[in-house]
Amino acid sequence: MKVEQQLRSLPKMRFLPRKVKDVLALSSRIFERQEVPEPSSSACYLLADVMGHKTVTTMNMQTIMTQKHLEQFWDFCRKRLKREPVQYIIGEWDFCDITLKMKPPVLIPRRETEELVNLVEEELNTRFPNGATVLDVGCGSGAISLALAKHRPNDRIMAVDMSLDACCLTRENAKMLNLADRVAIHHLEVEAGTIGIGGCDKFDMIISNPPYIRNDNMQQLAPEVAWYEDHHALCGGMSGMETIRKVLLFSCSALNINGSLWLEVALDQPHVLQRYVARFLPMLRFVGTYTDFSNRLRFCKLKKL
């Protein structure tokens, strides 16, 4: 019998385990047999959510689950076996020190991007302690702009995305976090010549985690990404640089003098980006590349001359 068929009948099985410890062990084994990535942590996140906890570490492993909780949990497991991301199943995810609503197909914020926020905050705190004008290009769920808004109350922050789904989710998250009056959200795609975003022509800082995966690499994505997340937020065209070039050209006119542009890019793109800027965009200076928590070159900083 296929695992999908087994799970469909699990809530009806007389000898289905009911103790938290046993349910967790069984679901982890099923995920592992079916080669679901991170089987143990997937089971832990799903079970904790069903039981009203952030993590299983705050739960009593001897607790006997109710029938309602069991049915909801195994329903979550069916979705995970179909490779639906945990973040979409439970409907939320922590980023920096905020909790964001998650809805498909809006891109799920990655842990690496938290490193970008830390780098950006460090510069803002040093150069603009009393506030800055900041633009988040490709805001997705609002992770970057809302994390900054919480930590930097004097900044004027704007967020844009070409996806209406993303803009709507950012608005939901802003309202949920009581930051709706702190971030102005606009549905648009920036490119050279885009002006007057939210009544602001120039910015002290622009931040973007743009689509940067090459067309020929899209087919190598894990099912969690390929089947559920917005391809427009992932694919950067033939070279992976199409959207990055648009952001660079836009930044040439949209940044204040000495303003900074921060980009999260693919591991093989920093040197390509540096050569492109040196050859075609004399009004920008490539400052440097910074590593993520795995010591991989991931973030690029540029400055407007």
Side-chain angles (χ1 to χ4, degrees), residues 56-81:
V56 296
T57 58
T58 61
M59 294 172 57
N60 182 348
M61 290 292 107
Q62 304 304 315
T63 298
I64 303 300
M65 296 177 64
T66 67
Q67 184 66 21
K68 181 180 179 180
H69 283 154
L70 282 170
E71 289 176 0
Q72 183 181 2
F73 175 71
W74 290 115
D75 182 57
F76 278 5
C77 288
R78 292 187 190 96
K79 293 180 179 181
R80 188 70 188 102
L81 280 173

PDB file of all heavy atoms in Angstrom, residues 56-81:
ATOM      1  N   VAL A  56       8.502  21.912  19.544  1.00  0.00           N
ATOM      2  CA  VAL A  56       8.186  20.748  20.369  1.00  0.00           C
ATOM      3  C   VAL A  56       8.948  20.772  21.691  1.00  0.00           C
ATOM      4  O   VAL A  56       8.615  20.019  22.608  1.00  0.00           O
ATOM      5  CB  VAL A  56       8.476  19.424  19.613  1.00  0.00           C
ATOM      6  CG1 VAL A  56       7.576  19.276  18.408  1.00  0.00           C
ATOM      7  CG2 VAL A  56       9.943  19.332  19.220  1.00  0.00           C
ATOM      8  N   THR A  57       9.957  21.623  21.797  1.00  0.00           N
ATOM      9  CA  THR A  57      10.747  21.668  23.034  1.00  0.00           C
ATOM     10  C   THR A  57       9.928  22.149  24.226  1.00  0.00           C
ATOM     11  O   THR A  57      10.296  21.894  25.375  1.00  0.00           O
ATOM     12  CB  THR A  57      11.977  22.583  22.865  1.00  0.00           C
ATOM     13  OG1 THR A  57      11.544  23.899  22.510  1.00  0.00           O
ATOM     14  CG2 THR A  57      12.910  22.043  21.796  1.00  0.00           C
ATOM     15  N   THR A  58       8.835  22.839  23.962  1.00  0.00           N
ATOM     16  CA  THR A  58       7.980  23.315  25.056  1.00  0.00           C
ATOM     17  C   THR A  58       6.815  22.370  25.327  1.00  0.00           C
ATOM     18  O   THR A  58       5.940  22.676  26.135  1.00  0.00           O
ATOM     19  CB  THR A  58       7.435  24.720  24.732  1.00  0.00           C
ATOM     20  OG1 THR A  58       6.647  24.659  23.529  1.00  0.00           O
ATOM     21  CG2 THR A  58       8.575  25.715  24.550  1.00  0.00           C
ATOM     22  N   MET A  59       6.799  21.218  24.653  1.00  0.00           N
ATOM     23  CA  MET A  59       5.690  20.271  24.784  1.00  0.00           C
ATOM     24  C   MET A  59       6.050  19.116  25.708  1.00  0.00           C
ATOM     25  O   MET A  59       7.215  18.741  25.840  1.00  0.00           O
ATOM     26  CB  MET A  59       5.305  19.723  23.401  1.00  0.00           C
ATOM     27  CG  MET A  59       4.722  20.767  22.467  1.00  0.00           C
ATOM     28  SD  MET A  59       4.501  20.109  20.789  1.00  0.00           S
ATOM     29  CE  MET A  59       3.462  18.691  21.110  1.00  0.00           C
ATOM     30  N   ASN A  60       5.039  18.545  26.319  1.00  0.00           N
ATOM     31  CA  ASN A  60       5.188  17.320  27.104  1.00  0.00           C
ATOM     32  C   ASN A  60       5.049  16.137  26.155  1.00  0.00           C
ATOM     33  O   ASN A  60       3.978  15.902  25.582  1.00  0.00           O
ATOM     34  CB  ASN A  60       4.120  17.271  28.195  1.00  0.00           C
ATOM     35  CG  ASN A  60       4.251  16.043  29.084  1.00  0.00           C
ATOM     36  OD1 ASN A  60       4.992  15.099  28.787  1.00  0.00           O
ATOM     37  ND2 ASN A  60       3.523  16.044  30.194  1.00  0.00           N
ATOM     38  N   MET A  61       6.121  15.371  26.005  1.00  0.00           N
ATOM     39  CA  MET A  61       6.132  14.265  25.051  1.00  0.00           C
ATOM     40  C   MET A  61       5.173  13.136  25.444  1.00  0.00           C
ATOM     41  O   MET A  61       4.839  12.283  24.617  1.00  0.00           O
ATOM     42  CB  MET A  61       7.551  13.698  24.924  1.00  0.00           C
ATOM     43  CG  MET A  61       8.533  14.613  24.224  1.00  0.00           C
ATOM     44  SD  MET A  61       8.178  14.826  22.457  1.00  0.00           S
ATOM     45  CE  MET A  61       7.557  16.496  22.437  1.00  0.00           C
ATOM     46  N   GLN A  62       4.695  13.147  26.678  1.00  0.00           N
ATOM     47  CA  GLN A  62       3.791  12.097  27.137  1.00  0.00           C
ATOM     48  C   GLN A  62       2.318  12.480  26.946  1.00  0.00           C
ATOM     49  O   GLN A  62       1.424  11.690  27.254  1.00  0.00           O
ATOM     50  CB  GLN A  62       4.045  11.798  28.619  1.00  0.00           C
ATOM     51  CG  GLN A  62       5.484  11.410  28.941  1.00  0.00           C
ATOM     52  CD  GLN A  62       5.959  10.216  28.128  1.00  0.00           C
ATOM     53  OE1 GLN A  62       5.235   9.221  27.988  1.00  0.00           O
ATOM     54  NE2 GLN A  62       7.174  10.310  27.594  1.00  0.00           N
ATOM     55  N   THR A  63       2.064  13.681  26.432  1.00  0.00           N
ATOM     56  CA  THR A  63       0.688  14.140  26.231  1.00  0.00           C
ATOM     57  C   THR A  63      -0.061  13.225  25.261  1.00  0.00           C
ATOM     58  O   THR A  63       0.475  12.827  24.224  1.00  0.00           O
ATOM     59  CB  THR A  63       0.674  15.581  25.683  1.00  0.00           C
ATOM     60  OG1 THR A  63       1.280  16.445  26.636  1.00  0.00           O
ATOM     61  CG2 THR A  63      -0.755  16.057  25.408  1.00  0.00           C
ATOM     62  N   ILE A  64      -1.305  12.914  25.589  1.00  0.00           N
ATOM     63  CA  ILE A  64      -2.168  12.122  24.708  1.00  0.00           C
ATOM     64  C   ILE A  64      -2.942  13.087  23.824  1.00  0.00           C
ATOM     65  O   ILE A  64      -3.663  13.956  24.322  1.00  0.00           O
ATOM     66  CB  ILE A  64      -3.143  11.246  25.523  1.00  0.00           C
ATOM     67  CG1 ILE A  64      -2.365  10.322  26.473  1.00  0.00           C
ATOM     68  CG2 ILE A  64      -4.025  10.426  24.582  1.00  0.00           C
ATOM     69  CD1 ILE A  64      -1.410   9.386  25.791  1.00  0.00           C
ATOM     70  N   MET A  65      -2.789  12.946  22.512  1.00  0.00           N
ATOM     71  CA  MET A  65      -3.436  13.854  21.570  1.00  0.00           C
ATOM     72  C   MET A  65      -4.912  13.521  21.415  1.00  0.00           C
ATOM     73  O   MET A  65      -5.304  12.346  21.425  1.00  0.00           O
ATOM     74  CB  MET A  65      -2.730  13.786  20.208  1.00  0.00           C
ATOM     75  CG  MET A  65      -1.294  14.265  20.236  1.00  0.00           C
ATOM     76  SD  MET A  65      -0.430  14.094  18.638  1.00  0.00           S
ATOM     77  CE  MET A  65      -1.382  15.225  17.600  1.00  0.00           C
ATOM     78  N   THR A  66      -5.734  14.542  21.244  1.00  0.00           N
ATOM     79  CA  THR A  66      -7.157  14.339  20.994  1.00  0.00           C
ATOM     80  C   THR A  66      -7.351  13.858  19.560  1.00  0.00           C
ATOM     81  O   THR A  66      -6.469  13.997  18.708  1.00  0.00           O
ATOM     82  CB  THR A  66      -7.925  15.647  21.191  1.00  0.00           C
ATOM     83  OG1 THR A  66      -7.526  16.580  20.174  1.00  0.00           O
ATOM     84  CG2 THR A  66      -7.674  16.239  22.566  1.00  0.00           C
ATOM     85  N   GLN A  67      -8.519  13.321  19.286  1.00  0.00           N
ATOM     86  CA  GLN A  67      -8.822  12.862  17.933  1.00  0.00           C
ATOM     87  C   GLN A  67      -8.765  14.024  16.940  1.00  0.00           C
ATOM     88  O   GLN A  67      -8.266  13.880  15.823  1.00  0.00           O
ATOM     89  CB  GLN A  67     -10.213  12.214  17.896  1.00  0.00           C
ATOM     90  CG  GLN A  67     -10.592  11.605  16.555  1.00  0.00           C
ATOM     91  CD  GLN A  67      -9.719  10.409  16.182  1.00  0.00           C
ATOM     92  OE1 GLN A  67      -9.101   9.778  17.043  1.00  0.00           O
ATOM     93  NE2 GLN A  67      -9.651  10.105  14.900  1.00  0.00           N
ATOM     94  N   LYS A  68      -9.237  15.191  17.367  1.00  0.00           N
ATOM     95  CA  LYS A  68      -9.214  16.369  16.496  1.00  0.00           C
ATOM     96  C   LYS A  68      -7.785  16.759  16.146  1.00  0.00           C
ATOM     97  O   LYS A  68      -7.469  17.040  14.980  1.00  0.00           O
ATOM     98  CB  LYS A  68      -9.923  17.539  17.180  1.00  0.00           C
ATOM     99  CG  LYS A  68      -9.970  18.812  16.343  1.00  0.00           C
ATOM    100  CD  LYS A  68     -10.692  19.923  17.092  1.00  0.00           C
ATOM    101  CE  LYS A  68     -10.707  21.207  16.256  1.00  0.00           C
ATOM    102  NZ  LYS A  68     -11.400  22.312  16.973  1.00  0.00           N
ATOM    103  N   HIS A  69      -6.912  16.758  17.131  1.00  0.00           N
ATOM    104  CA  HIS A  69      -5.513  17.091  16.881  1.00  0.00           C
ATOM    105  C   HIS A  69      -4.844  16.050  15.984  1.00  0.00           C
ATOM    106  O   HIS A  69      -4.055  16.392  15.096  1.00  0.00           O
ATOM    107  CB  HIS A  69      -4.752  17.197  18.202  1.00  0.00           C
ATOM    108  CG  HIS A  69      -5.021  18.469  18.943  1.00  0.00           C
ATOM    109  ND1 HIS A  69      -4.902  18.571  20.316  1.00  0.00           N
ATOM    110  CD2 HIS A  69      -5.420  19.694  18.510  1.00  0.00           C
ATOM    111  CE1 HIS A  69      -5.214  19.805  20.693  1.00  0.00           C
ATOM    112  NE2 HIS A  69      -5.535  20.491  19.619  1.00  0.00           N
ATOM    113  N   LEU A  70      -5.168  14.780  16.204  1.00  0.00           N
ATOM    114  CA  LEU A  70      -4.597  13.719  15.368  1.00  0.00           C
ATOM    115  C   LEU A  70      -5.028  13.877  13.909  1.00  0.00           C
ATOM    116  O   LEU A  70      -4.207  13.761  12.995  1.00  0.00           O
ATOM    117  CB  LEU A  70      -5.029  12.349  15.889  1.00  0.00           C
ATOM    118  CG  LEU A  70      -4.285  11.814  17.118  1.00  0.00           C
ATOM    119  CD1 LEU A  70      -4.990  10.582  17.659  1.00  0.00           C
ATOM    120  CD2 LEU A  70      -2.827  11.500  16.776  1.00  0.00           C
ATOM    121  N   GLU A  71      -6.291  14.130  13.696  1.00  0.00           N
ATOM    122  CA  GLU A  71      -6.792  14.268  12.324  1.00  0.00           C
ATOM    123  C   GLU A  71      -6.142  15.458  11.631  1.00  0.00           C
ATOM    124  O   GLU A  71      -5.754  15.372  10.459  1.00  0.00           O
ATOM    125  CB  GLU A  71      -8.313  14.408  12.348  1.00  0.00           C
ATOM    126  CG  GLU A  71      -9.029  13.121  12.728  1.00  0.00           C
ATOM    127  CD  GLU A  71     -10.533  13.305  12.836  1.00  0.00           C
ATOM    128  OE1 GLU A  71     -11.008  14.443  12.606  1.00  0.00           O
ATOM    129  OE2 GLU A  71     -11.220  12.319  13.151  1.00  0.00           O
ATOM    130  N   GLN A  72      -6.011  16.566  12.352  1.00  0.00           N
ATOM    131  CA  GLN A  72      -5.379  17.743  11.753  1.00  0.00           C
ATOM    132  C   GLN A  72      -3.911  17.475  11.452  1.00  0.00           C
ATOM    133  O   GLN A  72      -3.412  17.846  10.384  1.00  0.00           O
ATOM    134  CB  GLN A  72      -5.492  18.948  12.684  1.00  0.00           C
ATOM    135  CG  GLN A  72      -4.918  20.226  12.068  1.00  0.00           C
ATOM    136  CD  GLN A  72      -5.000  21.417  12.997  1.00  0.00           C
ATOM    137  OE1 GLN A  72      -5.455  21.314  14.142  1.00  0.00           O
ATOM    138  NE2 GLN A  72      -4.551  22.571  12.523  1.00  0.00           N
ATOM    139  N   PHE A  73      -3.228  16.796  12.359  1.00  0.00           N
ATOM    140  CA  PHE A  73      -1.808  16.523  12.155  1.00  0.00           C
ATOM    141  C   PHE A  73      -1.585  15.626  10.948  1.00  0.00           C
ATOM    142  O   PHE A  73      -0.716  15.903  10.108  1.00  0.00           O
ATOM    143  CB  PHE A  73      -1.199  15.879  13.400  1.00  0.00           C
ATOM    144  CG  PHE A  73       0.232  15.463  13.199  1.00  0.00           C
ATOM    145  CD1 PHE A  73       1.236  16.409  13.099  1.00  0.00           C
ATOM    146  CD2 PHE A  73       0.576  14.118  13.091  1.00  0.00           C
ATOM    147  CE1 PHE A  73       2.557  16.028  12.894  1.00  0.00           C
ATOM    148  CE2 PHE A  73       1.893  13.733  12.897  1.00  0.00           C
ATOM    149  CZ  PHE A  73       2.885  14.696  12.790  1.00  0.00           C
ATOM    150  N   TRP A  74      -2.363  14.546  10.831  1.00  0.00           N
ATOM    151  CA  TRP A  74      -2.142  13.650   9.697  1.00  0.00           C
ATOM    152  C   TRP A  74      -2.572  14.284   8.389  1.00  0.00           C
ATOM    153  O   TRP A  74      -2.031  13.966   7.323  1.00  0.00           O
ATOM    154  CB  TRP A  74      -2.831  12.309   9.936  1.00  0.00           C
ATOM    155  CG  TRP A  74      -2.152  11.515  11.021  1.00  0.00           C
ATOM    156  CD1 TRP A  74      -2.668  11.156  12.225  1.00  0.00           C
ATOM    157  CD2 TRP A  74      -0.808  11.022  11.007  1.00  0.00           C
ATOM    158  NE1 TRP A  74      -1.744  10.468  12.972  1.00  0.00           N
ATOM    159  CE2 TRP A  74      -0.585  10.366  12.257  1.00  0.00           C
ATOM    160  CE3 TRP A  74       0.222  11.060  10.088  1.00  0.00           C
ATOM    161  CZ2 TRP A  74       0.622   9.770  12.574  1.00  0.00           C
ATOM    162  CZ3 TRP A  74       1.436  10.455  10.408  1.00  0.00           C
ATOM    163  CH2 TRP A  74       1.620   9.822  11.633  1.00  0.00           C
ATOM    164  N   ASP A  75      -3.502  15.222   8.448  1.00  0.00           N
ATOM    165  CA  ASP A  75      -3.843  15.993   7.256  1.00  0.00           C
ATOM    166  C   ASP A  75      -2.652  16.853   6.833  1.00  0.00           C
ATOM    167  O   ASP A  75      -2.321  16.937   5.642  1.00  0.00           O
ATOM    168  CB  ASP A  75      -5.063  16.872   7.518  1.00  0.00           C
ATOM    169  CG  ASP A  75      -5.479  17.661   6.292  1.00  0.00           C
ATOM    170  OD1 ASP A  75      -5.748  17.046   5.247  1.00  0.00           O
ATOM    171  OD2 ASP A  75      -5.510  18.913   6.370  1.00  0.00           O
ATOM    172  N   PHE A  76      -1.975  17.455   7.807  1.00  0.00           N
ATOM    173  CA  PHE A  76      -0.760  18.213   7.522  1.00  0.00           C
ATOM    174  C   PHE A  76       0.311  17.307   6.914  1.00  0.00           C
ATOM    175  O   PHE A  76       1.022  17.698   5.983  1.00  0.00           O
ATOM    176  CB  PHE A  76      -0.216  18.838   8.808  1.00  0.00           C
ATOM    177  CG  PHE A  76      -0.883  20.128   9.217  1.00  0.00           C
ATOM    178  CD1 PHE A  76      -1.972  20.641   8.522  1.00  0.00           C
ATOM    179  CD2 PHE A  76      -0.409  20.842  10.313  1.00  0.00           C
ATOM    180  CE1 PHE A  76      -2.577  21.824   8.911  1.00  0.00           C
ATOM    181  CE2 PHE A  76      -1.005  22.033  10.704  1.00  0.00           C
ATOM    182  CZ  PHE A  76      -2.091  22.516  10.010  1.00  0.00           C
ATOM    183  N   CYS A  77       0.417  16.087   7.434  1.00  0.00           N
ATOM    184  CA  CYS A  77       1.425  15.152   6.919  1.00  0.00           C
ATOM    185  C   CYS A  77       1.148  14.773   5.471  1.00  0.00           C
ATOM    186  O   CYS A  77       2.087  14.609   4.668  1.00  0.00           O
ATOM    187  CB  CYS A  77       1.476  13.899   7.787  1.00  0.00           C
ATOM    188  SG  CYS A  77       2.229  14.150   9.403  1.00  0.00           S
ATOM    189  N   ARG A  78      -0.121  14.624   5.118  1.00  0.00           N
ATOM    190  CA  ARG A  78      -0.453  14.328   3.717  1.00  0.00           C
ATOM    191  C   ARG A  78       0.059  15.444   2.804  1.00  0.00           C
ATOM    192  O   ARG A  78       0.598  15.194   1.730  1.00  0.00           O
ATOM    193  CB  ARG A  78      -1.974  14.184   3.554  1.00  0.00           C
ATOM    194  CG  ARG A  78      -2.567  12.967   4.222  1.00  0.00           C
ATOM    195  CD  ARG A  78      -4.051  12.830   3.867  1.00  0.00           C
ATOM    196  NE  ARG A  78      -4.659  11.808   4.689  1.00  0.00           N
ATOM    197  CZ  ARG A  78      -5.320  12.044   5.812  1.00  0.00           C
ATOM    198  NH1 ARG A  78      -5.469  13.282   6.240  1.00  0.00           N
ATOM    199  NH2 ARG A  78      -5.834  11.048   6.504  1.00  0.00           N
ATOM    200  N   LYS A  79      -0.128  16.677   3.240  1.00  0.00           N
ATOM    201  CA  LYS A  79       0.339  17.820   2.446  1.00  0.00           C
ATOM    202  C   LYS A  79       1.862  17.808   2.336  1.00  0.00           C
ATOM    203  O   LYS A  79       2.423  18.083   1.275  1.00  0.00           O
ATOM    204  CB  LYS A  79      -0.137  19.126   3.077  1.00  0.00           C
ATOM    205  CG  LYS A  79      -1.645  19.323   3.029  1.00  0.00           C
ATOM    206  CD  LYS A  79      -2.053  20.645   3.673  1.00  0.00           C
ATOM    207  CE  LYS A  79      -3.558  20.842   3.590  1.00  0.00           C
ATOM    208  NZ  LYS A  79      -3.970  22.137   4.194  1.00  0.00           N
ATOM    209  N   ARG A  80       2.516  17.485   3.444  1.00  0.00           N
ATOM    210  CA  ARG A  80       3.986  17.474   3.404  1.00  0.00           C
ATOM    211  C   ARG A  80       4.497  16.365   2.497  1.00  0.00           C
ATOM    212  O   ARG A  80       5.521  16.518   1.815  1.00  0.00           O
ATOM    213  CB  ARG A  80       4.542  17.288   4.825  1.00  0.00           C
ATOM    214  CG  ARG A  80       6.053  17.466   4.902  1.00  0.00           C
ATOM    215  CD  ARG A  80       6.470  18.900   4.681  1.00  0.00           C
ATOM    216  NE  ARG A  80       7.924  19.054   4.568  1.00  0.00           N
ATOM    217  CZ  ARG A  80       8.563  19.216   3.428  1.00  0.00           C
ATOM    218  NH1 ARG A  80       7.897  19.276   2.274  1.00  0.00           N
ATOM    219  NH2 ARG A  80       9.875  19.364   3.409  1.00  0.00           N
ATOM    220  N   LEU A  81       3.800  15.218   2.460  1.00  0.00           N
ATOM    221  CA  LEU A  81       4.198  14.142   1.550  1.00  0.00           C
ATOM    222  C   LEU A  81       4.057  14.560   0.089  1.00  0.00           C
ATOM    223  O   LEU A  81       4.752  14.029  -0.786  1.00  0.00           O
ATOM    224  CB  LEU A  81       3.362  12.880   1.815  1.00  0.00           C
ATOM    225  CG  LEU A  81       3.818  12.032   3.004  1.00  0.00           C
ATOM    226  CD1 LEU A  81       2.819  10.925   3.270  1.00  0.00           C
ATOM    227  CD2 LEU A  81       5.201  11.440   2.746  1.00  0.00           C
TER     228      LEU A  81
END
